Amino acid sequence: MDKKDSESPPASDTATPVQPAVYNAEVDTSEVDERKLVRKLDLALIPWLSLLYLLSFLDRTSIGNAKLYHLVPDLHMTDDQYLISLTVFFFSYAIFEVPSNVFLKRLRPSIWLSLLMLLWGVMMTVQGLVHNYGGLVGMRWMLGTFEAGLFPGVNYYLSCWYKRSEFGIRAAIFFSAATVSGAFGGLLAAAISKMEGVGGKPAWAWIFIIEGLATVLAGAASFWIIQDFPDTAKFLTEAERTAVVRRLQSDDQFSAAGEDLKWKYIWKSLLDWKTWVGMVIYVGADMPLYAFSLFLPSIINQLGFKATPANLLTVPVYFFACCITCLVGFLADRFGHRGFFNIGFLCIGGAGYIILISSRSAALSYFAVYMATCGIYPVIPNTIAWVSNNVEGSYKRSVSLAMVISFGNINGAVSSNVYRAKDQPWYPLGHGLVLMYIGFGLISSLTYHFLLRAENARRDRGERDEIIGKVDDTELNEKNGRFETVEDAKREKGDEWSGYRYIL
């Protein structure tokens, strides 16, 4: 981001400068070391939340590993029924994301997120006890219902703690738990498969049961580990809580001190063009993400490797994805221009899928899988950070993020049906459709970037200036609103305020 993009000019050339109200003005924060404070936040928030997402992603995708250990024949399912059992998860997962984010804002994160995790852990465990296709479908629906709130909820929650230039690497580290779960899931499935026959249960059932019980334990512990929002966080002193809120307000997050729920904030999100373009960007990486994670073991298996070696060969792929995701998160925070990172890595990912479509060599296809991860894994958190950076208002941001993520997840239903058994071992249909989605992400990223840049230019020219105070000059632009103070304009208009600059 250019320096001029981060500066906030006065709302109007005629406006009288008005100092915003200082949060907790009576609290002295001069003794608070900002760098130490951020490190304290990182240690309190990121490790445990990343572990929760690791378990979440492990639970939803372990069915791909379980399939290699005779899940389908044991439950007397057809290939189409297996695909349906994958699909139903995404419908309930997408439906409940937006309401869950609103509940998260209204309730304490320590209660809401912990409760969701405890319940989906129970559903995961019961999934290992089913005896037929109907039971598996029912459990997959309930698993999606309770998992829905974690990913959009935590991303919104983290955006309430960090500046816009700090959020990307935290979102990347949190999301990289998905890549770790991919590697860990292959290792864990290979290890649990040794329990074949224990208690009269097959290996695939033990995969679900062991992983589900681990999630139940983590969910119970989360009631005491997950922190609430900055203004009430118990692990911070009063001065530290005040410093967190003030530094967010200085970063144009005007609602950091708190905001009452009003329907207009939700409608603003629904009517904002940034929400809808962001949805298309996100789906360009999210549909490929689920296709990749659900079918990577099967793809490698069809390249000539048996079940356990196929699971183990996924490990280096996910390790590479973890490294590239964190690197992009760090660089995008440092240099800005998140759109350029999206565009560049989507191109690399697209090239990888072009190779996968045309290749008939196992070695070349395995190499292309590494390229494919570049267009998927780093783009997910970078897009979330990009959308979050450009939405002000705590409720508006919570709804916008949930809508963006839920639209990506509903398209996960597409991903679970495109890698058909009859297309193995090269899966041209699946790879082709994933390439199409990457194209959607590329085009919409370009659109988002240029529209944001055009809007910043309009604000630089003064075309969005509001009228501040009692000014009778009719030449001022009345349509942009009239406010008593700049502070009123900020709170009323959020990211539509003339002094707000979008992150490119």
Side-chain angles (χ1 to χ4, degrees), residues 266-281:
I266 296 175
W267 283 113
K268 276 188 175 183
S269 175
L270 296 175
L271 298 175
D272 191 342
W273 66 266
K274 300 192 303 298
T275 302
W276 296 94
V277 178
M279 288 162 65
V280 182
I281 298 173

Side-chain angles (χ1 to χ4, degrees), residues 156-346:
Y156 163 67
Y157 170 73
L158 288 177
S159 75
C160 296
W161 287 87
Y162 294 99
K163 289 183 177 181
R164 293 189 290 171
S165 60
E166 300 167 341
F167 179 51
I169 183 60
R170 276 80 185 178
I173 292 172
F174 169 66
F175 177 73
S176 67
T179 66
V180 174
S181 79
F184 182 63
L187 292 171
L188 186 61
I192 296 176
S193 68
K194 305 298 182 184
M195 296 181 67
E196 173 74 42
V198 175
K201 296 193 176 299
W204 62 262
W206 281 114
I207 290 174
F208 293 144
I209 292 170
I210 296 297
E211 294 178 9
L213 290 174
T215 301
V216 169
L217 292 175
S222 294
F223 283 104
W224 292 276
I225 297 176
I226 293 178
Q227 303 296 328
D228 293 318
F229 291 110
D231 55 338
T232 60
K234 295 179 180 178
F235 75 103
L236 298 176
T237 66
E238 180 66 20
E240 289 172 333
R241 287 194 291 269
T242 301
V244 171
V245 174
R246 288 181 187 174
R247 66 195 298 272
L248 294 178
Q249 290 179 323
S250 71
D251 189 46
D252 283 346
Q253 297 187 48
F254 324 125
S255 59
E259 184 178 66
D260 295 329
L261 174 60
K262 297 179 182 178
W263 276 104
K264 72 174 183 178
Y265 298 139
I266 296 175
W267 283 113
K268 276 188 175 183
S269 175
L270 296 175
L271 298 175
D272 191 342
W273 66 266
K274 300 192 303 298
T275 302
W276 296 94
V277 178
M279 288 162 65
V280 182
I281 298 173
Y282 191 77
V283 80
D286 206 38
M287 180 276 187
L289 169 73
Y290 286 113
F292 190 87
S293 59
L294 287 171
F295 291 96
L296 181 61
S298 295
I299 292 170
I300 295 177
N301 178 236
Q302 292 304 323
L303 294 179
F305 299 96
K306 300 302 180 183
T308 296
N311 273 329
L312 294 178
L313 279 172
T314 65
V315 175
V317 178
Y318 285 118
F319 177 76
F320 172 78
C322 179
C323 293
I324 200 72
T325 298
C326 292
L327 178 63
V328 169
F330 172 77
L331 293 176
D333 274 356
R334 181 162 186 173
F335 298 109
H337 295 293
R338 298 192 188 278
F340 290 160
F341 284 95
N342 260 19
I343 293 162
F345 281 90
L346 284 167

Side-chain angles (χ1 to χ4, degrees), residues 362-381:
L364 180 59
S365 294
Y366 187 63
F367 169 76
V369 162
Y370 286 86
M371 294 182 65
T373 62
C374 293
I376 300 172
Y377 285 91
V379 175
I380 296 280

